[in-house]
């Protein structure tokens, strides 16, 4: 048997180490332990400062993370600005109502003061989503493993094919989530994020005025009293500015009320109502009425979602400015 020299052995070990670094590795809780130990404190302090002033900001930061991860993975590509030569994700129709970009910029600026060039915008987006939702309870509701790198490509043309539409049926939702490595339970649990925030009329007004697709008709699965209420807010199909809460009486509280109204046929979107069309999904919706169970499952699914197609190691970059590629 041929015995390798020490130098040859070290060369082989080095090659494997480089390959592992290039492909990255799993995200870790202590990724910034030596390079930026207080990054989570910085992100939380800035995020909580904003949310304390305006409780409605939790929903856009959570949604920003979701939209980021579903297109090209959690790489902060949703933050990149369009250029004369490229229309970026944030200017695609599904992303035009996203918010929270200024908060991410402020967090990044604070982090850069302490740890220049170290922390990715992708990690900041993931942390800010967690912290914004957690503000209500003054404790962190889920773990956010770190070590994501920032992407360098952002294409508006990729958004519609990847972001689940509010008109999706159960099969379409199931397939969309499966493409991201997420299962039916993740779908049902992450839909619970609709317990906070608002939606523009154009995301659901077809259920009120054009369910037949012929310019008329109301969705028969929508609670009629709720539909009448929605019609007082969204008066016609051309309303592109009015917003309504997704969870009418509890839109500022991260809780299980979404599942309660869902079972009363008051889910705002067709994609919400779709969760009741599958027997297994329906049974899970009922279980998620338990707050502790919901928090446990939401924490698991958010961690899972936050690891979709992440860039690690030497992949991507650490953007100096979250809206511009280095």
């Amino acid at each position: 048997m041929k015995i390798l020299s020490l130098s040859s052995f070290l060369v082989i070990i080095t090659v494997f180490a480089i390959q592992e670094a290039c492909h990255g590795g799993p995200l870790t809780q202590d990724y910034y332990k030596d390079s930026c130990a207080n990054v989570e404190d910085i992100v939380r302090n800035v995020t909580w400062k904003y949310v304390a002033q305006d409780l409605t900001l939790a929903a856009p930061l959570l949604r920003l993370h979701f939209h980021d991860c579903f297109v090209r993975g959690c790489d902060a590509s949703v933050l990149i600005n369009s250029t004369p030569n490229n229309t970026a994700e944030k200017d695609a129709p599904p992303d035009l109502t996203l918010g929270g970009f200024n908060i991410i910029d402020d967090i990044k600026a604070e982090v850069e003061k302490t740890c220049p060039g170290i922390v990715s915008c992708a990690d900041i987006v993931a942390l800010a989503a967690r912290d914004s939702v957690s503000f209500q309870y003054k404790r962190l509701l889920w773990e956010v493993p770190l070590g994501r790198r920032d992407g360098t490509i952002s294409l508006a043309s990729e958004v519609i094919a990847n972001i689940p539409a509010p008109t999706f049926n159960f099969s379409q939702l199931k397939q969309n989530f499966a493409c991201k490595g997420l299962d039916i339970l993740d779908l049902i649990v992450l839909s619970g994020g609709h317990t906070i925030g608002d939606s523009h009329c154009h995301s659901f007004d077809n259920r009120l005025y054009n369910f037949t697709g012929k310019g008329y008709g109301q969705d028969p699965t929508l609670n009629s009293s709720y539909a009448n209420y929605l019609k007082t807010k969204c008066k016609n199909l051309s309303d592109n500015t009015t917003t309504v809460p997704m969870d009418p009486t509890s839109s500022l509280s991260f809780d299980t009320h979404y599942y309660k109204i869902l079972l009363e046929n008051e889910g705002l979107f067709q994609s919400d109502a779709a969760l009741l069309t599958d027997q297994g999904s329906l049974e899970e919706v009922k279980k998620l009425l338990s707050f502790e169970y919901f928090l446990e499952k939401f924490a698991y699914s958010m961690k899972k979602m936050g690891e979709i197609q992440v860039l690690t190691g030497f992949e991507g970059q650490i953007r100096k400015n979250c809206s511009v590629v280095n």
Side-chain angles (χ1 to χ4, degrees), residues 33 38 73 114 116 145 203 278:
K33 180 180 66 174
N38 62 341
T114 304
S203 294
D278 175 86

Side-chain angles (χ1 to χ4, degrees), residues 170-232:
F170 189 78
S171 295
Q172 291 170 312
L173 290 169
K174 180 180 174 181
Q175 181 179 8
N176 177 270
F177 272 64
C179 287
K180 309 302 175 185
L182 302 174
D183 58 29
I184 292 175
L185 180 57
D186 298 317
L187 161 63
I188 303 164
V189 170
L190 292 175
S191 294
H194 289 171
T195 194
I196 55 174
D198 299 334
S199 171
H200 285 77
C201 293
H202 61 71
S203 294
F204 60 86
D205 56 12
N206 64 302
R207 301 186 75 193
L208 304 176
Y209 301 111
N210 187 30
F211 196 67
T212 62
K214 300 176 182 179
Y216 63 89
Q218 181 175 299
D219 184 348
T221 68
L222 184 62
N223 181 295
S224 58
S225 296
Y226 185 45
N228 289 335
Y229 159 76
L230 291 174
K231 286 179 178 179
T232 67

Side-chain angles (χ1 to χ4, degrees), residues 45 58 89 114 141 149 155-156 167 172 199 201 221 223 232 244 261 271 297 302 311 319:
N45 288 340
E89 291 173 29
T114 304
L141 296 183
R149 305 262 296 176
L155 303 171
T167 55
Q172 291 170 312
S199 171
C201 293
T221 68
N223 181 295
T232 67
V244 300
I261 63 173
S271 58
K297 297 305 180 184
M302 283 300 296
L311 302 176
R319 274 186 240 138

Side-chain angles (χ1 to χ4, degrees), residues 93-296:
D95 288 352
L96 291 175
T97 55
L98 289 178
F101 296 105
N102 63 310
I103 301 175
I104 300 300
D105 287 341
D106 282 359
I107 296 171
K108 175 66 170 177
E110 284 300 311
V111 171
E112 286 293 302
K113 291 177 183 177
T114 304
C115 315
I118 299 296
V119 180
S120 69
C121 299
D123 276 345
I124 289 174
V125 169
L127 287 169
R130 187 269 309 272
D131 295 347
S132 65
V133 174
S134 298
F135 173 79
Q136 174 184 348
Y137 297 99
K138 300 300 188 293
R139 63 184 176 91
L140 303 181
L141 296 183
W142 64 88
E143 293 182 347
V144 180
L146 301 168
R148 300 166 188 78
R149 305 262 296 176
D150 297 326
T152 58
I153 299 171
S154 182
L155 303 171
S157 58
E158 296 181 341
V159 175
I160 291 179
N162 285 281
I163 297 295
T167 55
F168 272 9
N169 61 33
F170 189 78
S171 295
Q172 291 170 312
L173 290 169
K174 180 180 174 181
Q175 181 179 8
N176 177 270
F177 272 64
C179 287
K180 309 302 175 185
L182 302 174
D183 58 29
I184 292 175
L185 180 57
D186 298 317
L187 161 63
I188 303 164
V189 170
L190 292 175
S191 294
H194 289 171
T195 194
I196 55 174
D198 299 334
S199 171
H200 285 77
C201 293
H202 61 71
S203 294
F204 60 86
D205 56 12
N206 64 302
R207 301 186 75 193
L208 304 176
Y209 301 111
N210 187 30
F211 196 67
T212 62
K214 300 176 182 179
Y216 63 89
Q218 181 175 299
D219 184 348
T221 68
L222 184 62
N223 181 295
S224 58
S225 296
Y226 185 45
N228 289 335
Y229 159 76
L230 291 174
K231 286 179 178 179
T232 67
K233 304 296 182 180
C234 308
K235 300 185 185 303
N236 53 61
L237 288 169
S238 61
D239 188 340
N240 294 317
T241 57
T242 303
T243 61
V244 300
M246 291 186 286
D247 186 347
T249 61
S250 185
S251 65
L252 294 179
S253 179
F254 187 76
D255 53 30
T256 61
H257 195 254
Y258 164 81
Y259 298 105
K260 179 179 183 296
I261 63 173
L262 191 58
L263 291 168
E264 296 170 354
N265 295 313
E266 293 182 5
L268 187 61
F269 307 123
Q270 282 177 252
S271 58
D272 292 323
L275 301 183
L276 304 182
T277 63
D278 175 86
Q279 188 59 39
S281 175
L282 173 59
E283 293 306 313
E284 193 61 41
V285 166
K286 294 176 181 177
K287 290 167 64 177
L288 286 163
L289 289 170
S290 163
F291 183 63
E292 292 304 319
Y293 182 74
F294 169 60
L295 283 188
E296 174 193 341

